[in-house]
Amino acid sequence: MTWTPPPPRPGHPYYMHDAIYAQPGALRLVLRANAPAVAEAAARLRTMDRILLVGIGTSWHATLVGELLFARAGRFGHRARALHAFEAANYWPSPDARTGLVLVSHRGTKRFSLEALAAADGAAGVRVVVTGKGSGAGVATADVVLRTVEQEASAAHTVSYTCALALLAALAAAVGGDDALVAALEALPDQVALLLGQEAWDELAARLDGRRRYWFVGGGPNTATALEAALKMSEANHADAIGYNVEQFLHGPWAALEPDDLLVVVAPPGPTRERSLAAARVAREVGAPVVALADAADAEFAALAVATIALPPVPELLSPIPAVVPLQLLTYHLALRRGVNPDTMRAERPAHARARARLAL
């Protein structure tokens, strides 16, 4: 099964909007429905010496979060590693019998993801796939399959991303016996629901529209959030956007900031916060406005930012789930202001349709 552009909706709400607002209910259902499969996969992964997490695009961003989840909550430490599927299929040795492979693939059709999975067949100790319902047949050959949601009509994955993160968190917590993380994960759907109603997102987009470039920075598990937000902006509203690990940003890229740019810092409490403050101060000196995703009581960010989006108090390892939701909404409402369909990846434009036809993904 490959993605094809959905029947176009003439205007708001687009499919991406529906998917974003479906996330609280989807998170509840996905965690409940996959509980037996999570227990089975955890029992098998617990016996492995190491774990490789593999994905492409948004799924690769999920594996970056999963790497830290398995390193810390899953107690695998340095024996947990995330690999881009292209690299895994072409440059890294196939996993051995003491290695567990966890593949994340929303649609289960990407060439290099399937190649990485096939290379592990009969070699890896266990193969676990996190994928959507109705995904390609190739991923069904795994030892354990965890299902997120029905295939999204929008090309900009939102609900399938947060549900994949939730399943990776549940799996890592089950492997490592982290009951506190399980309890925090169970509370997340309600927290995401509150977050969806926190701001007037169209008004915020109006304030932030028209920037030359949109920069997103984060650290630890929210390095992936910065990368994912930049990807969504490119896919859905076609802005010039880039994501960085915050420390990488401070080691040179910041010099390209201009006053008509926007810097978004993802800075929940944790080791990243201090360096995110440094990034915000750099932007302030250059004259670029800052949007901060931070704790509601964080006065230092409130003093630096033109807008502060309050994140719920969750363990930092889970923060990529609520942190990405406001950035999905910002992306969507910027698309509305730009008069573009966020669902189609410009498939309705002849040049972009021809370009897509030349791609073999």
Side-chain angles (χ1 to χ4, degrees):
M1 184 206 74
T2 58
W3 180 84
T4 55
R9 285 183 173 178
H12 173 70
Y14 291 102
Y15 293 109
M16 183 182 179
H17 175 274
D18 293 353
I20 292 170
Y21 280 87
Q23 287 175 113
L27 287 165
R28 290 189 193 95
L29 290 173
V30 161
L31 290 170
R32 187 182 309 135
N34 284 276
V38 166
E40 178 188 354
R44 300 184 68 168
L45 289 170
R46 204 177 292 122
T47 67
M48 297 290 104
D49 290 341
R50 66 198 67 83
I51 291 179
L52 296 181
L53 299 104
V54 174
I56 291 175
T58 290
S59 295
W60 178 54
H61 300 158
T63 67
L64 294 176
V65 180
E67 180 181 63
L68 282 176
L69 282 163
F70 277 96
R72 298 174 70 92
R75 307 184 193 279
F76 267 79
H78 295 99
R79 297 176 294 127
R81 179 72 188 269
L83 297 178
H84 193 281
F86 176 81
E87 307 293 327
N90 290 286
Y91 291 97
W92 287 84
S94 298
D96 59 26
R98 301 302 307 158
T99 301
L101 177 76
V102 178
L103 174 72
V104 182
S105 178
H106 298 308
R107 302 192 190 277
T109 58
K110 296 299 187 290
R111 170 188 168 188
F112 294 109
S113 293
L114 293 176
E115 287 185 10
L117 184 65
D121 188 10
V126 60
R127 299 180 306 152
V128 178
V129 169
V130 179
T131 190
K133 297 177 181 178
S135 57
V139 295
T141 63
D143 299 300
V144 183
V145 178
L146 307 179
R147 300 283 182 180
T148 57
V149 293
E150 298 292 345
Q151 296 298 318
E152 292 186 63
S154 178
H157 289 101
T158 52
V159 61
S160 53
Y161 176 65
T162 51
C163 285
L165 290 181
L167 286 176
L168 290 173
L171 186 55
V175 168
D178 192 329
D179 294 336
L181 193 70
V182 171
L185 187 58
E186 290 173 349
L188 260 181
D190 289 339
Q191 292 169 317
V192 170
L194 289 172
L195 191 58
L196 285 168
Q198 182 173 293
E199 301 281 346
W201 301 106
D202 53 344
E203 294 177 11
L204 183 62
R207 293 170 58 193
L208 303 179
D209 192 16
R211 313 310 301 183
R212 182 189 75 107
R213 177 175 297 151
Y214 295 83
W215 302 72
F216 298 87
V217 299
N222 285 300
T223 298
T225 307
L227 297 175
E228 175 65 10
L231 173 61
K232 285 294 160 283
M233 292 281 283
S234 298
E235 290 177 334
N237 66 45
H238 321 144
D240 184 356
I242 190 165
Y244 277 107
N245 170 277
V246 63
E247 192 64 23
Q248 193 72 9
F249 170 80
L250 291 170
H251 276 72
W254 68 269
L257 268 176
E258 297 288 352
D260 54 351
D261 292 348
L262 175 74
L263 177 69
V264 179
V265 293
V266 185
T272 293
R273 179 189 172 277
E274 178 191 353
R275 303 308 284 159
S276 295
L277 272 172
R281 288 173 180 139
V282 163
R284 183 75 174 265
E285 292 298 329
V286 170
V290 175
V291 171
L293 280 71
D295 184 86
D298 198 320
E300 287 184 284
F301 274 117
L304 289 169
V306 297
T308 302
I309 299 171
L311 293 175
V314 300
E316 190 179 11
L317 285 174
L318 295 182
S319 65
I321 297 175
V324 78
V325 173
L327 303 181
Q328 294 169 346
L329 285 162
L330 174 61
T331 294
Y332 179 82
H333 283 279
L334 285 173
L336 297 185
R337 295 195 59 80
R338 290 163 179 248
V340 302
N341 186 331
D343 295 330
T344 63
M345 214 178 293
R346 286 183 169 176
E348 69 278 9
R349 297 194 177 190
H352 289 80
R354 291 194 302 271
R356 185 175 186 86
R358 291 182 175 274
L359 290 173
L361 300 178

